[in-house]
Amino acid sequence: MPFRSIHPGVALLGFLLALTPAARACVDYADYSQIVSRLSIGAAQMPALAVDGTNACICAEGQGLAVVDITDPEMPRFRSWVDTAGYAYDVAMQGGFAYVAEGIVGLQVVEVSRFIAPHIVSTLGPAGSYTAVAVSGGRAYLVDSYGMLDVVDVSVPANPRRIHTFYLSARGVAALGGYAYLLGRDSVLYVIDATQDHPPS
């Protein structure tokens, strides 16, 4: 009879079934997991989250923004919902503030300090419909549904100010230092120097 190889998964299943009940009881499946805690948020759609310091902020589209205290990662504690008025598609965090890409509502800045109830401190209407956001330094970088990038001065979170618009076909954004890194719909990575208040002529 010709030799036939056995799929590793089938071999593992056979091994486990061959164990006596007492032997199976000795297998500690927790050894294979590094999950230290779980917390049910109770939202139908949760497309994005961000963490900063002692808070996690979770986008829940039409349900708004969920704020969770993660001071103790093994015992996360739900703090509150923030009604962001639109659809919370993406979030970035920095310095006790959450920056939420809110579709046609725009950019909403939410203060999430541990010492006060989370609340919206400002809103900046979009040129299109914001779907992605990144924050670095005093700048927020927002991509809209048309692929354009808006650079917003958020050095004063209560008074965000749009300073650049780049007309690109972008679908995602990350930021570090004074640079924005955009993933283009044409499979190109764009790196943009956004350190100046006005784009070069």
Side-chain angles (χ1 to χ4, degrees):
M1 176 181 293
F3 175 77
R4 294 182 180 179
S5 62
I6 299 176
H7 189 280
V10 175
L12 176 60
L13 177 61
F15 168 75
L16 292 175
L17 291 174
L19 292 175
T20 64
R24 286 198 295 270
C26 293
V27 178
D28 186 358
Y29 297 102
D31 290 343
Y32 299 98
S33 173
Q34 297 301 317
I35 297 173
V36 299
S37 61
R38 297 182 183 184
L39 178 68
S40 177
I41 303 301
Q45 300 290 331
M46 295 186 295
L49 69 86
V51 296
D52 180 36
T54 59
N55 288 294
C57 287
I58 302 164
C59 291
E61 292 194 348
Q63 291 180 251
L65 188 74
V67 183
V68 176
D69 184 338
I70 55 169
T71 304
D72 182 353
E74 296 190 6
M75 295 186 65
R77 181 178 60 86
F78 181 81
R79 289 184 61 190
S80 69
W81 283 102
V82 178
D83 183 359
T84 52
Y87 277 74
Y89 290 113
D90 197 15
V91 60
M93 297 183 69
Q94 182 175 266
F97 292 89
Y99 298 85
V100 187
E102 272 285 307
I104 60 174
V105 172
L107 168 67
Q108 292 204 311
V109 184
V110 181
E111 186 169 0
V112 293
S113 167
R114 290 183 60 197
F115 305 105
I116 59 174
H119 64 285
I120 296 169
V121 297
S122 62
T123 300
L124 178 69
S129 176
Y130 290 145
T131 58
V133 60
V135 178
S136 181
R139 304 286 170 92
Y141 304 89
L142 293 119
V143 172
D144 73 10
S145 57
Y146 298 104
M148 292 189 298
L149 172 71
D150 278 348
V151 182
V152 178
D153 182 347
V154 291
S155 56
V156 180
N159 186 31
R161 181 173 61 94
R162 186 180 293 106
I163 54 177
H164 300 183
T165 296
F166 293 91
Y167 296 91
L168 296 168
S169 181
R171 67 173 64 188
V173 62
L176 182 65
Y179 294 90
Y181 299 83
L182 287 94
L183 176 61
R185 296 176 185 176
D186 52 0
S187 300
V188 173
L189 173 67
Y190 295 92
V191 182
I192 295 177
D193 180 355
T195 57
Q196 304 300 315
D197 277 356
H198 301 283
S201 56

